[in-house]
Amino acid sequence: MLQNIYQPHEEHSKDARIKNMEEYHALMNEANTDYEGFWAKYANEKIDWFKPFDKVLDESNAPFYRWFDGGKLNVAHQCVDRHLDSRKNKAAIIFEGDNGDQRILTYRELAYEVNKTANMFKNQFDIKKGDRVVLYMPMIPEAAISMLACAKIGAIHSVVFGGFSAEALKDRIIDAEAKLVVTSDGAFRKGSPYMLKPVVDDALKSGCECVKAVCVVERNGEDIHWEDGRDYSYNELIKNESPVCDAEPMDSEDPLFLLYTSGSTGKPKGVQHSSAGYILWAQMTMEWVFDLKENDTYWCTADVGWITGHTYIVYGPLAAGATTIMFEGVPTFPDAGRCWKMVEEYQVNQFYTAPTAIRLLHKMGADEPKKYNLSSLRTLGTVGEPIDPAAWKWYYDEIGNGKCAIVDTYWQTETGGHMISPLPGATPIKPACATFPLPGIMAEIIDENGEPTPIGEKGFMCITKPWPSMIRDIWNDSDRFVKSYFGDCKKDGKPVYFTGDGAMIDEDGYITITGRTDDVINVSGHRMGTAEVEAAVKKHASVAAVAVVGKPHEIKGEGIFAYVVLKTDDNVAIEALAKEINNVIKQEIGAIAVCDDIVFVPDLPKTRSGKIMRRILRSIAKGEEITQDTSTLEDPSIVKTIESIVNSCTI
Ligand code: WTA
């Protein structure tokens, strides 16, 4: 079936790193024939080792895999210092503020700032190798500088997205036992200041005795509460620090960072990444998937609080010696042409964003792209959720002018970097399809028995061999690590990494991701666990029971739909209650988790053993016909009752 295939453009292929499918298959064969040799070659070529590694892959304690044991390196050296010979005056970070402020840091300036910050962490806050530092930061250069400063001295950072609430921040601080929190007074959004420091103050009110200090970067200059002896000004302290700082030699497997993400059950888990394996793949995918060239300007619109921001705003681009844009604002301010204006102004060559943003920009400003010269663009990326064919087409025609490759990159917080993606110069693309695994990634779609699923049938998206940038552990919870990722799927009798996603392969071998098979929902490309949202809703005093499911949403991909059972239904003002429930969610998690729909129901559909039948609730939310067998329910009539309530009263 060859219709609807977009062949790679000749001008991209001719000087791409991987020029055609023959080269792709050759690399895949190389990895298949000598897996360790394949990775050893790249690790030697790409990483500036302080001491070479002795062993490529150690599987003796699977699934706690170890890569490049014996090697010593430093990720900040890999991302900054090693470029000072050849790229010292090249722009490393271009910052554009919400208000149009601009700041450009060359590699030399970045090295200077990272070193001063690293010295400040060491000297003023006694941060040592292995200590955890929480960063609760807006999208300003100091966020990237602080990440790299941690890496320079071997501290483990845990960036918490600035949209998370005090409660969520507190949970993450406590779980990681962070010694230092780096934040800012706030920042700017849609032309107005917003605040972060007060959220840190709230988070630290109780239970965070581990935190010895808060280091505050000034960004918006608003008044903030100051606690003497705990709060310190970044801008003041940094003045006295030396711009020279030796890189801490780190073992390949020393943790580089933790990043909390949602699972299908319980609290968010601290995904732990390594130093060598992570940075190797961040750099390789940056080069392969975006087909990076020396003079390119690359822009990823994510936030550093998510894995996309870690790997593809900070670590990947800088390891590859690229120029990366950090944008503080939102794509729709002052109007829906902001991104395209920036593409023209900075002559952006690679633009990487989430399908949600594409849908929104299409809806709010279909005419905007025409007002700008977007001819510098070569590669357009999408990430975080499936892209629908309509959004794909608009992106391709209106933003790429039919001349750009679209890379639909499939990956996860846990995978560290891209797993399945087209290669701009090589892969014939089918719209809205992640296409093929990247060279070296053994991605397979299998069934319960570990057999490949037939063409066109859904199966489990697994990675059947360990890869360098994979999650190493869940912080403080190794059992959960094993259970969450290596408990469900086996191949040849051995547990293999299961992503939690379903997928399908077509007759040409193309992979389409069909979405999560667990209770994780994907709202605007952000991962949200239904269990987390339910736990928040239950904190409302009137709530007796709750079940949360995802529901397709025109812009956000998925919206959150909650079925709530109240303790008493006497005289309750339903609308006010729905608002209150969303306020509790804002307090417990953050605005990103508020429900689009809240319906009040007399009971939930439960099996006789008490298990909530979410599939039924999912179907009702979607307005689908109920095909599931309801006869095993404790009260089968509840399904009809809920259906009629949903049909008459979604708020
Ligand atoms: C989903 C984001 C379809 C998937 C990098 C995965 C995608 C989850 C795609 C990870 C894609 C990510 N097509 N679905 N191209 N990329 N996903 O950890 O369900 O925030 O498991 O990492 O997003 O979300 P996470």
Side-chain angles (χ1 to χ4, degrees):
M1 207 185 67
L2 285 174
Q3 74 264 36
N4 257 347
I5 289 196
Y6 291 72
Q7 294 299 334
H9 298 278
E10 222 179 283
E11 64 273 26
H12 298 162
S13 304
K14 79 176 181 314
D15 51 9
R17 283 190 166 78
I18 302 176
K19 295 183 171 51
N20 49 51
M21 286 312 274
E22 286 72 44
E23 289 190 9
Y24 165 78
H25 289 301
L27 284 171
M28 264 305 197
N29 280 340
E30 207 180 303
N32 267 316
T33 332
D34 178 10
Y35 194 61
E36 291 187 19
F38 174 90
W39 288 112
K41 181 182 88 182
Y42 286 106
N44 281 320
E45 185 185 313
K46 302 284 175 192
I47 294 184
D48 193 8
W49 294 99
F50 294 173
K51 175 177 169 284
F53 54 91
D54 327 300
K55 191 165 173 56
V56 183
L57 170 62
D58 179 355
E59 301 188 81
S60 59
N61 191 25
F64 298 91
Y65 298 102
R66 300 178 65 85
W67 284 90
F68 313 122
D69 259 342
K72 295 249 184 219
L73 78 162
N74 181 285
V75 168
H77 169 87
Q78 179 75 11
C79 291
V80 187
D81 302 354
R82 79 181 179 104
H83 300 307
L84 295 180
D85 280 347
S86 55
R87 299 181 173 119
K88 64 178 186 297
N89 290 322
K90 174 176 175 173
I93 296 177
I94 297 178
F95 166 72
E96 164 132 339
D98 179 70
N99 55 3
D101 275 1
Q102 194 194 74
R103 195 175 151 198
I104 300 181
L105 286 156
T106 62
Y107 273 93
R108 191 188 62 79
E109 288 166 319
L110 181 61
Y112 183 88
E113 296 296 334
V114 168
N115 288 348
K116 278 167 101 62
T117 307
N119 282 329
M120 172 174 71
F121 288 172
K122 263 199 309 209
N123 301 333
Q124 313 274 351
F125 303 116
D126 193 31
I127 299 299
K128 299 194 174 67
K129 181 175 170 177
D131 284 344
R132 273 81 59 209
V133 176
V134 161
L135 310 181
Y136 188 67
M137 297 286 275
M139 284 290 290
I140 56 176
E142 285 77 6
I145 292 166
S146 300
M147 290 163 80
L148 293 160
C150 286
K152 187 98 195 213
I153 60 176
I156 303 170
H157 61 69
S158 168
V159 184
V160 178
F161 172 58
F164 278 122
S165 68
E167 269 306 302
L169 173 61
K170 174 176 150 182
D171 285 349
R172 287 157 173 80
I173 290 173
I174 294 175
D175 191 67
E177 290 174 90
K179 200 161 155 185
L180 171 69
V181 177
V182 185
T183 188
S184 74
D185 43 7
F188 296 96
R189 194 168 191 268
K190 296 191 190 169
S192 311
Y194 73 91
M195 303 307 289
L196 290 172
K197 172 68 165 51
V199 184
V200 175
D201 292 333
D202 264 4
L204 297 185
K205 271 193 185 132
S206 65
C208 294
E209 287 71 30
C210 51
V211 174
K212 302 294 174 241
V214 178
C215 181
V216 188
V217 180
E218 186 181 323
R219 167 64 186 143
N220 64 17
E222 297 287 307
D223 279 343
I224 45 175
H225 163 77
W226 203 257
E227 207 160 305
D228 284 333
R230 186 198 73 185
D231 297 347
Y232 297 86
S233 160
Y234 182 106
N235 308 61
E236 284 304 315
L237 291 187
I238 197 119
K239 286 184 189 156
N240 307 320
E241 293 298 342
S242 150
V244 180
C245 174
D246 285 339
E248 182 77 32
M250 303 296 284
D251 289 334
S252 293
E253 281 296 329
D254 278 336
L256 178 64
F257 65 83
L258 309 179
L259 184 57
Y260 285 79
T261 191
S262 297
S264 49
T265 55
K267 290 202 165 187
K269 39 198 182 186
V271 171
Q272 182 186 319
H273 277 290
S274 71
S275 296
Y278 171 81
I279 202 66
L280 173 65
W281 192 234
Q283 185 178 329
M284 286 173 69
T285 47
M286 191 65 215
E287 293 171 353
W288 276 347
V289 174
F290 296 112
D291 195 30
L292 193 70
K293 301 285 191 296
E294 189 59 47
N295 283 324
D296 284 349
T297 303
Y298 161 91
W299 181 19
C300 165
T301 68
D303 189 284
V304 284
W306 308 111
I307 191 68
T308 307
H310 281 61
T311 310
Y312 297 110
I313 294 179
V314 180
Y315 287 117
L318 297 177
T323 300
T324 178
I325 295 182
M326 276 185 91
F327 175 45
E328 180 190 41
V330 296
T332 49
F333 178 82
D335 56 49
R338 178 70 181 265
C339 292
W340 319 131
K341 182 166 182 274
M342 281 175 65
V343 168
E344 175 180 294
E345 216 166 278
Y346 294 111
Q347 302 267 294
V348 171
N349 305 99
Q350 292 92 358
F351 180 73
Y352 191 31
T353 196
T356 294
I358 299 167
R359 289 189 289 263
L360 186 71
L361 294 177
H362 182 191
K363 190 167 169 195
M364 289 185 61
D367 295 332
E368 292 293 335
K370 288 194 180 55
K371 299 183 189 162
Y372 302 96
N373 180 352
L374 306 179
S375 61
S376 57
L377 289 169
R378 235 176 36 238
T379 311
L380 299 174
T382 71
V383 55
E385 46 175 335
I387 178 161
D388 49 289
W392 193 97
K393 194 85 175 73
W394 187 74
Y395 204 26
Y396 188 81
D397 291 337
E398 302 301 320
I399 309 305
N401 195 21
K403 294 194 176 101
C404 295
I406 296 192
V407 289
D408 175 356
T409 61
Y410 167 76
W411 60 296
Q412 310 178 293
T413 304
E414 294 86 343
T415 66
H418 303 146
M419 293 286 103
I420 303 178
S421 170
L423 294 161
T427 315
I429 293 171
K430 293 189 185 183
C433 177
T435 73
F436 304 111
L438 291 170
I441 300 303
M442 302 302 163
E444 291 182 67
I445 304 167
I446 55 182
D447 64 15
E448 299 77 33
N449 306 316
E451 298 298 327
T453 40
I455 288 166
E457 272 179 38
K458 271 192 206 176
F460 302 115
M461 187 70 249
C462 291
I463 319 286
T464 54
K465 263 182 186 290
W467 66 102
S469 68
M470 72 192 292
I471 174 175
R472 292 302 195 271
D473 205 344
I474 290 176
W475 188 256
N476 272 339
D477 205 343
S478 299
D479 284 349
R480 191 171 174 200
F481 165 71
V482 179
K483 275 197 209 107
S484 306
Y485 305 108
F486 298 90
D488 295 315
C489 295
K490 283 198 164 92
K491 198 190 160 200
D492 303 327
K494 281 214 310 229
V496 291
Y497 178 88
F498 174 43
T499 58
D501 285 303
M504 239 161 33
I505 198 154
D506 75 5
E507 57 278 25
D508 304 316
Y510 281 70
I511 296 173
T512 299
I513 305 296
T514 55
R516 303 287 306 193
T517 62
D518 53 12
D519 291 319
V520 170
I521 43 192
N522 196 325
V523 186
S524 306
H526 300 148
R527 236 165 107 165
M528 203 46 68
T530 51
E532 259 172 277
V533 182
E534 286 168 6
V537 175
K538 276 186 202 146
K539 296 238 158 129
H540 190 287
S542 309
V543 173
V546 55
V548 164
V549 297
K551 176 187 170 182
H553 186 285
E554 192 195 349
I555 301 290
K556 300 199 261 186
E558 269 188 303
I560 306 180
F561 192 113
Y563 295 89
V564 174
V565 183
L566 295 173
K567 287 183 178 154
T568 158
D569 52 9
D570 299 342
N571 299 324
V572 283
I574 295 295
E575 271 181 47
L577 205 55
K579 261 209 192 104
E580 279 175 33
I581 289 175
N582 267 337
N583 280 336
V584 175
I585 296 177
K586 279 188 204 162
Q587 267 168 33
E588 293 292 313
I589 307 175
I592 49 170
V594 298
C595 299
D596 295 274
D597 301 275
I598 297 179
V599 291
F600 296 95
V601 294
D603 203 354
L604 298 170
K606 279 181 275 188
T607 60
R608 287 192 194 103
S609 57
K611 193 171 170 274
I612 297 170
M613 294 289 285
R614 284 165 191 288
R615 271 201 296 160
I616 294 180
L617 292 173
R618 243 177 257 142
S619 301
I620 297 177
K622 283 187 196 164
E624 288 172 359
E625 212 181 306
I626 309 293
T627 51
Q628 293 91 349
D629 177 16
T630 55
S631 64
T632 56
L633 294 180
E634 196 180 63
D635 170 16
S637 74
I638 191 70
V639 175
K640 281 266 163 310
T641 313
I642 296 177
E643 262 186 312
S644 64
I645 294 174
V646 169
N647 291 338
S648 61
C649 82
T650 43
I651 292 170

